[in-house]
Amino acid sequence: MLGRSAAGRAIALLALAAAMIAGSFARGEAPPAASAAEPGGRSTVDAPAPPGPLPPSLGAERVTVVAIAGAIDLGLSPFLERVVAAQGASDLLVLDINTLGGRIDAALAIRDALLRARGRTVCWVNPRAISAGALIALACDVIAVAPGATIGAATPVQIGEDGGMKPVAEKVVSYMRKEMRATAEAKGRRGDVAEAMVDADVEVSGLDEKGKLLTLDGAQALAWGFAEVEAGDEAALFRALGRALPGEIARPRLSFAEELARVLSDPALAGILMTLGMLGVLLELYSPGHGLSLAVGIICLALFFFGHHVVKLAGWEEIALFVAGAVLIAVELFAPGHVVPGVAGALCVAGALILALIDLERVPVEVAWHAGWLPRALASVSVSLAATAALAVAAARLAPRTWLGRRLVLDAAIRGVATGGPSGGAAAPASRVGQIGAAATDLRPSGKVVLDGRRVEALSERGYVEAGTRVRVIRADGGRIVVRPLAGGVGDAGGVGDAGGVADAGGVGDAGGAAEEGRA
């Protein structure tokens, strides 16, 4: 009896097992595969990574991880644009982000680059992506959240005069709201949730209420489809993405040019570079010859435009506009009286500097104005121009009293003091052609000469001329006379000749040497 009972139970169990296997095949499931096991039941074969939100790799997958920590600034955007552009179709880019926000124009540049990416992109919110960081996160294919992560609060603000934050105009909020919605929908996410992160008036039923700006925690982001996976560390992140931990991960860093541009595009340093650059050029135009101030000015302006060119604010158009303005100002200084070139040149220079400080390619003019970016650029350039004028006046008054100034800038040329000679108006430059006089100051190549007992501005034809050298007026050029030194002619700068201080043309030998009676 017992034997029959045991045999019956065995047959029943075998029938039940057969039925279960047949049922699994009917549902399309495969029976569990046998695997080698250690004593105690532990498998000796690593379990494959579970399926993740990313599609299978299209080829040899190269993995790049970029850490984004701190403020989103202008130096970060060209770096990430470069990294994204280097990605292939089978590559994976992971942004390990922890930021409270930053410049909207920089975030927009990064967003545009991510939307154009050929490879797959992942944003790991570790642990926060606030404001501009939320826009960057939404532009990625997959969003992963770390435990305790937060994402949202993307309404734009501007810094007030007291250093505090204040809300911006409705046009700016509307612009940012559309950018967030379009970015979310481009990656298959809900646009209304993205809008609620920007505008407190947007209400998402069951998630937030009107009047409160939306910020999602990690659990909410997962529940509402804004995040796809959760991961506490890098290894867990790749497992959640359905990838084995890569054997090699590229971790690029900012190049020297990008690091330098990050410093040079700082608003405070940019203002100093603008001021010193324009001051150096102005001093050289006012008192040409030595070239030191011109070299300093060109270096400062080159650094200013280099920094803003790398961060995609100043293009070649702005640089060409500035050069054209400087040329027009030089024309006005060397050929005064026309006014129009000087005014047009000043407008070109100011316009080029303003355009180099703001991004009107991605941000409309009215948005830049209401957000405060354009007014800040106008104020920065205005302060720089005012500081340049003030420093130029100070240099003109104080430089002749310093050791370096006496060697670089002509004392008489700066002070412009007329001494001696009869009263009355000065003769026209053209009428002085052929006259002979003496250099009252060193000509480097500009300075003062004595003609008919009067000290007048003059320019040397052959570079440096020592004070006291006899000179002849050879032509008038742009309202200034041009002189040529006479061979061997050296006299006293204080007075040349008797009555007029200059011997007439007959008192000079045919070889060009000065007659004895012509010397004081």
Side-chain angles (χ1 to χ4, degrees):
M1 294 291 293
L2 289 176
R4 291 196 192 97
S5 176
R9 284 198 298 271
I11 294 171
L13 288 173
L14 287 174
L16 178 61
M20 292 177 63
I21 293 173
S24 66
F25 275 114
R27 291 193 302 269
E29 299 175 0
S35 61
E38 295 178 348
R42 288 188 306 164
S43 173
T44 58
V45 179
D46 291 336
L54 288 175
S57 177
L58 300 178
E61 188 174 57
R62 182 181 59 173
V63 178
T64 302
V65 176
V66 176
I68 302 176
I72 306 297
D73 58 20
L74 289 172
L76 184 64
S77 56
F79 164 63
L80 284 176
E81 286 178 309
R82 173 172 61 85
V83 171
V84 171
Q87 297 296 108
S90 62
D91 294 339
L92 175 63
L93 172 63
V94 177
L95 302 181
D96 181 356
I97 190 168
N98 179 21
T99 180
L100 294 175
R103 291 188 58 130
I104 295 178
D105 48 0
L108 288 171
I110 298 171
R111 172 255 193 198
D112 292 347
L114 290 171
L115 291 181
R116 295 191 302 265
R118 291 176 294 171
R120 277 72 57 84
T121 56
V122 175
C123 180
W124 182 25
V125 183
N126 183 29
R128 59 187 61 85
I130 304 300
S131 191
L135 178 62
I136 295 173
L138 290 180
C140 291
D141 298 320
V142 174
I143 296 178
V145 291
T150 53
I151 178 173
T155 189
V157 295
Q158 58 180 331
I159 306 300
E161 296 180 356
D162 58 351
M165 294 183 180
K166 61 180 183 179
V168 295
E170 173 60 28
K171 286 189 176 182
V172 183
V173 175
S174 175
Y175 171 77
M176 192 62 185
R177 187 175 63 215
K178 292 178 180 177
E179 288 286 336
M180 288 283 287
R181 183 183 186 98
T183 306
E185 292 179 345
K187 295 299 181 181
R189 300 184 177 97
R190 288 185 55 169
D192 57 343
V193 177
E195 285 187 317
M197 294 180 176
V198 180
D199 193 345
D201 290 334
V202 177
E203 180 181 0
V204 179
S205 179
L207 184 60
D208 75 332
E209 58 187 50
K210 191 172 182 179
K212 291 186 178 180
L213 201 63
L214 177 62
T215 300
L216 299 175
D217 60 28
Q220 290 174 317
L222 290 167
W224 284 79
F226 250 63
E228 285 73 27
V229 296
E230 183 178 18
D233 56 42
E234 198 169 90
L237 172 65
F238 284 103
R239 285 197 302 270
L241 294 174
R243 298 289 194 273
L245 186 64
E248 181 179 353
I249 299 177
R251 302 180 189 273
R253 297 181 178 274
L254 273 74
S255 66
F256 173 76
E258 290 160 346
E259 288 279 13
L260 182 60
R262 206 170 191 174
V263 175
L264 296 177
S265 59
D266 179 80
L269 183 56
I272 294 174
L273 290 174
M274 279 192 293
T275 301
L276 293 180
M278 290 186 291
L279 178 63
V281 174
L282 186 62
L283 289 178
E284 180 65 24
L285 292 175
Y286 183 74
S287 180
H290 48 77
L292 178 60
S293 61
L294 178 63
V296 172
I298 290 177
I299 290 173
C300 290
L301 290 172
L303 289 174
F304 170 82
F305 280 107
F306 167 78
H308 289 77
H309 179 71
V310 171
V311 299
K312 305 297 179 65
L313 289 182
W316 294 111
E317 299 85 355
E318 286 80 9
I319 297 174
L321 183 63
F322 182 88
V323 172
V327 170
L328 289 173
I329 292 174
V331 169
E332 179 64 28
L333 290 176
F334 284 108
H338 302 287
V339 179
V340 175
V343 174
L347 291 176
C348 288
V349 167
L353 294 174
I354 292 171
L355 292 174
L357 294 174
I358 54 178
D359 185 0
L360 295 181
E361 181 180 348
R362 295 181 178 89
V363 182
V365 175
E366 59 179 354
V367 173
W369 176 264
H370 289 290
W373 305 327
L374 186 53
R376 279 199 298 272
L378 289 169
S380 178
V381 173
S382 299
V383 170
S384 180
L385 291 173
T388 300
L391 290 173
V393 172
R397 293 184 177 181
L398 300 178
R401 304 177 188 176
T402 64
W403 176 86
L404 181 62
R406 284 193 297 270
R407 285 156 178 78
L408 297 181
V409 185
L410 296 175
D411 178 76
I414 293 177
R415 290 188 290 115
V417 179
T419 60
S423 60
S431 66
R432 294 191 180 278
V433 176
Q435 288 186 354
I436 296 175
T441 66
D442 292 342
L443 306 182
R444 301 176 183 263
S446 63
K448 298 281 188 177
V449 299
V450 176
L451 296 173
D452 291 335
R454 295 186 62 85
R455 290 161 65 102
V456 297
E457 292 279 351
L459 186 67
S460 169
E461 181 195 39
R462 300 177 180 175
Y464 176 79
V465 175
E466 185 181 0
T469 302
R470 298 292 298 277
V471 295
R472 182 194 299 274
V473 180
I474 59 171
R475 68 177 184 274
D477 188 3
R480 177 181 290 182
I481 63 174
V482 180
V483 299
R484 178 184 298 166
L486 299 177
V490 179
D492 188 329
V496 182
D498 41 323
V502 182
D504 61 18
V508 181
D510 50 6
E516 285 295 320
E517 61 272 20
R519 302 181 62 179

